[in-house]
Structures are given as C-alpha cells and as structure tokens.
Amino acid sequence: MARLTSLASVLAALELPEDEVLAPRDGREGGPPVAGAPREGYVVGSMAHGAQPGYEIWVNARNQAQFYAAYAEMLEPGRRSRSRRRQRSRQRLSLGRRPGDGGDAWVGEIYPEGHWAGPATLATSYRLAAQYAALVDARWATKLAVRAAMAYVSSGLPFGLFLATGLLDDETLNDRVTLRALVEPFRNPEASDAIRHPVQQTYLLLAASSRPWLRDPLRHALRDAERRLTAHGLYSIGPQGIPLGDYVDLAVALRYDDDSAGLGGSGASFTEIARRLAGLQRIQATALRAAQRNRFMWRRGASAIDLENVALSGLALRHRPWFGELSEAISEQLVRDDELAELPLWTMGEVETELPDIADSVTDIMREPERAWRLGDFREPDTETDPWTGEAFRTRETTRSPTARSADEEHRSPASPTRPDYPVARRDDAAPGTRPKANPDTESYGPLGPTSIEYPQSAAYGSDDYASDGDEGDDGDDPYSGDK
Amino acid sequence: MFVQMCVKGMHGITLEDACAIMGSRGLTCAWWRHAGRISSAEIDERLTAEELDLHVNSYEDKHPTRGGRVKDESPFISLTAGQVERDKYEADNLTHPAHLVAMRFATNFGNLRGECFLFYCWVIVGMRPSVPVRHLAEEVRELNTYARFSPFQLEGEIVAKVEVPPRQIEKFEHYECQDGRDGLPELRRLGTVYNKKGYISPHDVTNYRPMLKKPDRLGN
C-alpha cells in the first residue's frame, strides 16, 4: 500500500526530522504546524503564513522551478535571435551606449554559439526545473520535462528518448511527427559519438526494452549492445551512482517479459521487475536522507525528485498495460522501507493522472520544442493549489511587485543602489504599485532609464580598510545576508 | 597547486558595496565581517577540517563551540567553478556551469526579486586537502580530493579561506532578477565593472610566458 498518496504527504515526508519551527520573518510567532493555514499574506520565499510540514520546501521548489525555467528560456535560440534583433534595432536608433551591457547579452558571452555548454545547460536547466516543478504541479513538471527531453534529443543524446518514453504513454507518443523527431537521430549508430557511449547506449537499450515498437528503428544502434555493455557493468552512472549493469539487468528483465521478443512472458518477470525497481528506489531514498544532513541546502535547494529515476519507473510501468498493478507491487516491496523510496512512483502516478489533460500541449512541445517557451501554459503552473487544503489559489501575479515588496514599500523606498551616478531608473517616478514608466525611446529596455549615463567602469572604490575600521563589529545587520 | 577561476554569487549588497569589495575589501568570510578584527593565531586555530565540514554540510546550524550559527562564524568563503556531473557531458546528463550555480546562489535559490552580483576571481587550489594552509583554497567538489559523497557536490564548490583579496578579483557582473512576462523571473545584466586598477591576472604571476611580439622597454 503506497504511503505517499498526495502532495501534502510528500511534503511531510520531505520535512526535516526534528526540525525547529522557525518564527515567520514578519515577527509573528511560529508555533507548530497548523492545518489549513490561510493563504492571505502568501509571499513567495517567506514564511508569512503558518508552518505546514514541508511548506518551505514547497515554496522554494516553486521558486527554483521558475528560476531554472527562466534560465533555460534565456538560452533558447529563438529568444536570443530576438534579443539580437532588439540590439540591432537599438543601434539603428542611435540611442548611444547603453548603461551596463544590455539585459541578456550575457547569454552570448557565457554560452557562445556552437559550443556544447549552451545546449547542455539548456537541457539541464529544463530538467532541473521539471524536477522542482514536480513538487508543485505535475502538469507543469511534465511539460518542462518533455522540453528537457527534446533538448537532449536535439543534442544527440539518447537520454532524451529515455526520458520521453518513460514519462509519456504510447497514445501521446503516437504522433508521426514527434515520433520521427524522437527516434530519427538514433537510427544510425555513426551519427554521433554520444550514441555509442556505454551510458547513452544503456538509456537507448532501456527505451527499446520498454517499447517493442522502438526495437526495429533502433536495431542498428543497439546491435550487440548487451554484450558490449557487459564490459562496463561495474561503472557507476546516473545521479545515484548505480552500477551500469543494474540498468542493463532491468532492460533484460523487461525484454524477457515481452512475448514479441520471443523470450517468454512469465509471471516471474513481473516480480523480478518490481524487485529491481524497488532496489533502485531504495538507493535514492538513502541518498535523500544523506542530503537532509545539509539542512541549509535541503530547505532551499533540495531536488528530491530525480527525473531519471521517475523515467526508469515509467519505462517499466508503461511496458505493458499493468501500470497500477506493477506500481502496487513495487510499493509492496517498499512497505518496510523509507517512504521517500516511493517518490518516483508517486511522481509517475501524478504524471499519468494529468497526462490526458495536457496531451495536446505536450504534442505541441514535442513538435516545436524551440517554440515551447512562447506558450502561455508552459511558463507557469497550470493550477496553483494549496497542497494541504486542495483549494485552488492564484495570488502571486497580482500581489507581488518585481522586488517582492508591497506597493507601499516600493513607493517609499526605491530599490535602487545608493550611488548617485548609477544608471537605474528612479522608481519613485512611477505610481505606487506600478512598474516604472518606460522611456518611449527605449521601450524595450525595461526598467533602465536614461541611456546617457556611463556605467562606472572606473569607479572610485571605497578606501576603507576592512580590518582597521574598528566599527565593523557585529552591531548591525550583515549586509551580506544569504552569502555563503 | 593550480590556479582556478571561480565565481561568487551574492545578494543583499548595493553597487557601492560591490565596488568596495572589488576595490579594497575583497571577499571576506562571515567570521571576519562579524568579528571586525581577527588575528593570525585565531585564523590558524579556526582552519580545521571540522570547521570546513561545518561550512559545507551544516551551514545554517548552530556552531557547536561558538555562540552563533555556522553561517555567521565560518572562516571559509564558498565559490563555485561549476561541475559536470561525474562524467563528461556525453556520458551523463547534467552540467552545472559556474554561472548557473553562482546565479542560483545570488538569487537566493530563485527567491530574490532585486539586484545581485557575480564576482569573478581566482584562487590557488591545493591538489590535496590543505585546510590549515590559509592561502590555498579547497576543492571540495573534487571527488579525488574529497572522496566522501556529498549530495550537493554538484555545486562545484571551491572553498577559499578568510578572504579573496581584491588583486584576485577580475570583475563583477551586476544583475537584476525581476518578474518578466507572465511572472517568470528574468535575469537582466545591468552592467559589468572591471577591476582595472587592482586586478592581477594569474597569467602575470604563474608559469605562463606569452610569445614575443615586440621588444619591451628593456630591449628584451
């Protein structure tokens, strides 16, 4: 019997054991967790309302999902070309030198075109976004994961095919255009070095073992794969450092179960698959408990959901029409284990439940992955539901200012640096609670205002000696809050 | 030993603070900032493997022997140099570039709506654990050096000790994280300030000899 049956139960399981209840930062008393805490005053990133078990993890998961999605989006080729057009447009308008270096110009510098780091970071960022989003909204997480899968595929990595076939059902995958996009890059084993790499071969083998219809198009790439992978069986791979041989064994167990592979199809393989998956999930639970020891990182940045493990479960659960049955069998295997071992099953169950409703969006993302970020329903959770009450809410867009301050605070205290020569728009020009007015000549510049002010390239730095000040003692707020 | 370029993400400071850090203060550890004045003897006492472990794994906990929390008492400074997870990109599937990791910390794990800074600097890293040696940074991301498994090893963490002097800080980038279209945060770089006056490139002080282009003032 599964113990993780709802998001609230997952968040409670993720809560740090014997954690002290921190007082909310608004000065109210902390107190023990309270069921059904009010939503009023909900501010992302604060403990402005009662301390539900896992509340801070949930809030931070949402913020991290947004951060990684935003970072990935900045790397989208379509977005970059738009930025370049915008920059050329500025130059044509002879607007002079921009203060700073112009919004997202950093992307081209840090991830130059043609270098592998850009596509790799794009895929990684979407994957991480999906992992955090899984603790917020399964629909949102699925779409981000599919975008990540397509990014891996377009980089020539079979891991993308592994992710997509694990997460999605045959009905969703049964689209000629998307299927071709998914499989075509891996038909020819000479297409890239990555296809022949043992780790990527393993992912390819797992995908083909799960779906018989993949075996024919992948037959060249997978010729003699099991024998070749034997030599690499003891190498640790994946986020949990599991021996590659364990993955291959699971792939073999899936194939033995398959009548079409001519290898039988016995009830014994059902138990074998459940046993192997339970073993893999125990390892993840152990790793998560180890991660909890770093309480600072766990509260803020723990990535409890591992998409690779989720997809691995998905490949087995979708291998036959036995999703619920096998899921139950794996849960039975884990009944005496840490409940965190059930996380991949719970995530996969959520994806399965929500998939029919978002199948069209998913197909759109797979057909045109580079345009996915333009879709409204790709950027935000589909539904914002209180995990503890089940009530839908959506206050974020209307209550939070760009600096997470209230409208009054925003008006009273412009969040601009203190240097008088600093080229930031004077936010007190704007009405309370509104964004600063855009300069009509520089509309696309966003919040930056005058363009004639030089950025302080040769600023006169402070001359005070930190050690000899004598007044730098612990007598006030540390200006470096949050700095590690 | 080798020279490692690193990034430090920070928030909660102003542009003026950032200029002061790069111009004179340097990146300093929380312990120094809070104590105001520290001595060489105290530094020697604090640079231990136990303190490093507290910094890496118990950052927000109460310090076992001092009054405050580890984050206020630590003699170490976390930097990142990025990390590719356990294998080259083709083999595994997660890459953690220094910019992404530093930005994650600078934006307070995605919570920040406001300004943040990335400082680019260099440190000298020991090939083996050298915690008591103040001027060598520890490569806690390196599994060959620090073999124990850390679930957060992928932060690509390099730990400097006590301070990173301004001479080793090349520049800082100033970003703003704000709500963009549809509420998704947008990272805009507001500017970059180079440490033109004070920065000394590692190329100038290490075994690096550029090819001869034209005679220098001494006729060499």
Side-chain angles (χ1 to χ4, degrees), chain A residues 45 60 63 68 71 74 100-101 103 109-110 152 199 299-300 379 402 422 427 435 445 462 479 483-484, chain B residues 8 12 15 24 33 56 59-60 91 93 99 104 111 113 174 176 179 181 185 187-190 192-193:
Chain A
N60 282 322
N63 288 341
Y68 280 114
Y71 199 93
M74 301 288 279
D101 20 359
E109 283 174 31
I110 293 165
Y152 284 119
V199 176
R299 284 202 196 96
R300 285 161 184 78
R379 304 170 60 90
Y422 190 77
R427 290 197 170 105
R435 287 170 175 274
Y445 281 15
D483 161 36
K484 186 179 179 186
Chain B
K8 168 82 179 165
L15 178 63
S24 60
R33 291 202 302 271
V56 174
Y59 188 65
E60 207 166 54
N93 315 292
H99 184 271
R104 183 175 177 232
N111 282 287
R113 293 295 178 274
H174 185 188
E176 185 177 52
D179 282 337
R181 190 168 62 89
L187 299 166
R188 296 173 56 80
R189 189 165 68 188
L190 301 179
T192 306
V193 180

Side-chain angles (χ1 to χ4, degrees), chain A residues 390-402:
Chain A
E391 290 174 12
F393 68 92
R394 184 177 279 269
T395 56
R396 184 175 168 278
E397 291 84 350
T398 53
T399 58
R400 196 172 67 177
S401 74

Side-chain angles (χ1 to χ4, degrees), chain A residues 28-254:
Chain A
R28 284 182 283 155
E29 288 183 10
V34 179
R39 278 289 133 197
E40 289 79 20
Y42 167 70
V43 180
V44 173
S46 82
M47 293 288 283
H49 91 285
Q52 294 281 2
Y55 173 74
E56 196 170 3
I57 290 170
W58 176 64
V59 169
N60 282 322
R62 188 189 198 285
N63 288 341
Q64 296 247 13
Q66 288 197 319
F67 168 75
Y68 280 114
Y71 199 93
E73 189 185 304
M74 301 288 279
L75 307 186
E76 286 282 13
R79 186 184 165 105
R80 269 182 285 163
S81 58
R82 186 187 64 166
S83 301
R84 282 197 294 273
R85 280 201 301 277
R86 195 190 292 172
Q87 282 163 11
R88 281 199 296 273
S89 165
R90 284 193 202 110
Q91 285 164 2
R92 275 201 303 276
L93 289 169
S94 301
L95 296 174
R97 184 162 172 239
R98 288 207 62 211
D101 20 359
D104 48 10
W106 60 269
V107 177
E109 283 174 31
I110 293 165
Y111 302 105
E113 264 182 67
H115 192 271
W116 65 266
T121 308
L122 179 86
T124 294
S125 300
Y126 275 127
R127 176 180 170 182
L128 291 168
Q131 291 181 168
Y132 287 108
L135 290 178
V136 180
D137 176 29
R139 297 182 181 195
W140 189 32
T142 307
K143 285 182 273 190
L144 289 166
V146 169
R147 176 66 190 99
M150 298 311 291
Y152 284 119
V153 168
S154 61
S155 294
L157 294 180
F159 182 73
L161 178 66
F162 164 87
L163 264 190
T165 47
L167 295 173
L168 305 178
D169 56 21
D170 283 0
E171 200 175 337
T172 312
L173 289 169
N174 191 22
D175 175 89
R176 206 172 46 172
V177 177
T178 58
L179 207 53
R180 185 182 300 152
L182 267 178
V183 177
E184 205 58 36
F186 311 118
R187 276 179 178 269
N188 178 7
E190 305 302 320
S192 77
D193 290 342
I195 298 174
R196 296 191 300 277
H197 193 283
V199 176
Q200 296 298 329
Q201 277 270 305
T202 306
Y203 289 127
L204 210 54
L205 183 67
L206 279 162
S209 298
S210 169
R211 304 296 216 283
W213 46 263
L214 271 174
R215 287 179 202 150
D216 184 52
L218 297 178
R219 65 184 184 281
H220 295 300
L222 287 174
R223 183 172 295 147
D224 212 15
E226 281 170 37
R227 188 190 60 76
R228 280 183 285 113
L229 289 173
T230 307
H232 305 276
L234 290 177
Y235 283 100
S236 299
I237 68 167
Q240 314 305 335
I242 294 166
L244 185 146
D246 287 6
Y247 288 75
V248 176
D249 288 347
L250 179 63
V252 171
L254 287 171

Side-chain angles (χ1 to χ4, degrees), chain A residues 377-443:
Chain A
D377 63 354
F378 180 72
R379 304 170 60 90
E380 284 276 301
D382 275 15
T383 53
E384 296 202 64
T385 308
D386 185 328
W388 298 279
T389 64
E391 290 174 12
F393 68 92
R394 184 177 279 269
T395 56
R396 184 175 168 278
E397 291 84 350
T398 53
T399 58
R400 196 172 67 177
S401 74
T403 52
R405 299 169 175 210
S406 71
D408 281 341
E409 285 172 336
E410 194 71 19
H411 185 53
R412 279 200 307 272
S413 169
S416 57
T418 52
R419 289 177 68 89
D421 59 344
Y422 190 77
V424 169
R426 303 287 172 253
R427 290 197 170 105
D428 46 2
D429 290 345
T434 64
R435 287 170 175 274
K437 287 177 185 172
N439 181 335
D441 295 330
T442 61
E443 196 172 0

Side-chain angles (χ1 to χ4, degrees), chain A residues 20 22 44-45 59-60 63-64 66-71 73-74 79 98-106 109-111 116 119-121 124-125 127-128 132 152 155 157 159 194 197 199-200 203 237-241 287 290-291 293-302 373-374 376 379-380 396 400-404 415-419 422 424 427 435 445-448 455-457 459-464 466-468 470 472-474 478-484, chain B residues 8-26 28-30 32-38 54-61 69 71-72 76-79 84-105 107-115 117-118 120 149-152 155 157 171-198:
Chain A
E20 60 187 302
L22 296 174
V44 173
V59 169
N60 282 322
N63 288 341
Q64 296 247 13
Q66 288 197 319
F67 168 75
Y68 280 114
Y71 199 93
E73 189 185 304
M74 301 288 279
R79 186 184 165 105
R98 288 207 62 211
D101 20 359
D104 48 10
W106 60 269
E109 283 174 31
I110 293 165
Y111 302 105
W116 65 266
T121 308
T124 294
S125 300
R127 176 180 170 182
L128 291 168
Y132 287 108
Y152 284 119
S155 294
L157 294 180
F159 182 73
H197 193 283
V199 176
Q200 296 298 329
Y203 289 127
I237 68 167
Q240 314 305 335
R293 298 177 74 84
N294 190 333
R295 301 162 81 87
F296 174 81
M297 286 301 298
W298 181 261
R299 284 202 196 96
R300 285 161 184 78
W373 64 273
R374 296 169 188 265
R379 304 170 60 90
E380 284 276 301
R396 184 175 168 278
R400 196 172 67 177
S401 74
T403 52
S416 57
T418 52
R419 289 177 68 89
Y422 190 77
V424 169
R427 290 197 170 105
R435 287 170 175 274
Y445 281 15
L448 291 176
Y455 199 88
Q457 295 289 343
Y461 303 125
S463 57
D464 48 338
Y466 204 82
S468 62
E472 296 281 1
D474 191 14
D478 183 0
Y480 305 86
S481 58
D483 161 36
K484 186 179 179 186
Chain B
K8 168 82 179 165
M10 291 178 82
H11 66 274
I13 60 172
T14 63
L15 178 63
E16 196 170 46
D17 294 326
C19 288
I21 286 169
M22 195 165 74
S24 60
R25 293 178 182 177
T28 49
C29 67
W32 192 357
R33 291 202 302 271
H34 283 84
R37 190 180 295 273
I38 55 179
L54 286 171
H55 177 87
V56 174
N57 293 313
S58 309
Y59 188 65
E60 207 166 54
D61 295 356
R69 296 198 178 224
K71 66 179 182 181
D72 298 325
F76 300 101
I77 306 163
S78 291
L79 311 169
V84 176
E85 188 167 343
R86 295 207 179 143
D87 210 335
K88 63 179 180 175
Y89 168 54
E90 283 81 9
D92 225 326
N93 315 292
L94 283 166
T95 177
H96 299 260
H99 184 271
L100 172 62
V101 178
M103 190 59 84
R104 183 175 177 232
F105 280 85
T107 59
N108 192 19
F109 302 90
N111 282 287
L112 180 80
R113 293 295 178 274
E115 294 161 19
F117 298 83
L118 299 190
Y120 290 74
F149 174 70
S150 164
F152 301 102
E155 292 166 23
E157 187 167 0
K171 63 178 178 180
F172 70 76
E173 292 176 343
H174 185 188
Y175 288 86
E176 185 177 52
C177 182
Q178 59 181 348
D179 282 337
R181 190 168 62 89
D182 295 340
L184 204 65
E186 193 167 86
L187 299 166
R188 296 173 56 80
R189 189 165 68 188
L190 301 179
T192 306
V193 180
Y194 289 88
N195 188 2
K196 287 180 179 172
K197 282 180 177 174

